[in-house]
Amino acid sequence: MTQKQIIITVLAIMAATMLTRFLPVILFGKSKTTPKFIEYLGKTLPYAAIALLVVYCYKGLSFSAPKDYLPMLVAGAATMVLHFLKGNTFLSIGVGTAIYMLLVQVVFK
């Protein structure tokens, strides 16, 4: 990228970030209450996003050989169990990813 393209890209990213930060304040202000629909979306969208990610991760699952499906299922189960036990999203995702990478790169070469 040229210097001009880099500056334009950085400015566009800055503008988009500022818009997402300032838009709620502009729309709702400090004195206005948040609409019930927005509160509903705030409560339900995280679960919908997680469900979408799970479906996306498992969409190409092949049961032709254990090395094709076992690492994914074991890591997914470990992530789920750890999350229910500890309730820490970062810990669950980190350990699940580490288990998956260990199984794929060491156990099921």
Side-chain angles (χ1 to χ4, degrees):
M1 290 177 74
T2 66
Q3 190 72 19
K4 185 178 179 180
Q5 290 172 329
I6 292 172
I7 292 172
I8 291 171
T9 302
V10 169
L11 289 174
I13 292 170
M14 284 175 42
T17 302
M18 289 175 62
L19 180 67
T20 60
R21 300 294 189 253
F22 297 148
L23 195 58
V25 175
I26 293 168
L27 290 177
F28 303 120
K30 289 185 178 183
S31 62
K32 297 179 187 175
T33 60
T34 306
K36 296 292 182 193
F37 181 69
I38 300 297
E39 289 179 7
Y40 169 76
L41 288 178
K43 292 177 184 173
T44 58
L45 281 181
Y47 299 109
I50 294 298
L52 184 68
L53 288 171
V54 169
V55 169
Y56 177 77
C57 287
Y58 289 119
K59 72 177 172 66
L61 194 61
S62 171
F63 290 98
S64 59
K67 71 176 184 73
D68 294 335
Y69 66 87
L70 211 51
M72 198 177 289
L73 293 179
V74 169
T79 301
M80 187 172 59
V81 168
L82 189 58
H83 187 70
F84 282 127
L85 291 176
K86 296 294 183 179
N88 186 330
T89 304
F90 293 120
L91 177 69
S92 305
I93 292 172
V95 170
T97 302
I99 289 172
Y100 177 75
M101 296 308 287
L102 179 74
L103 290 173
V104 168
Q105 294 182 6
V106 177
V107 179
F108 293 101
K109 275 188 179 181

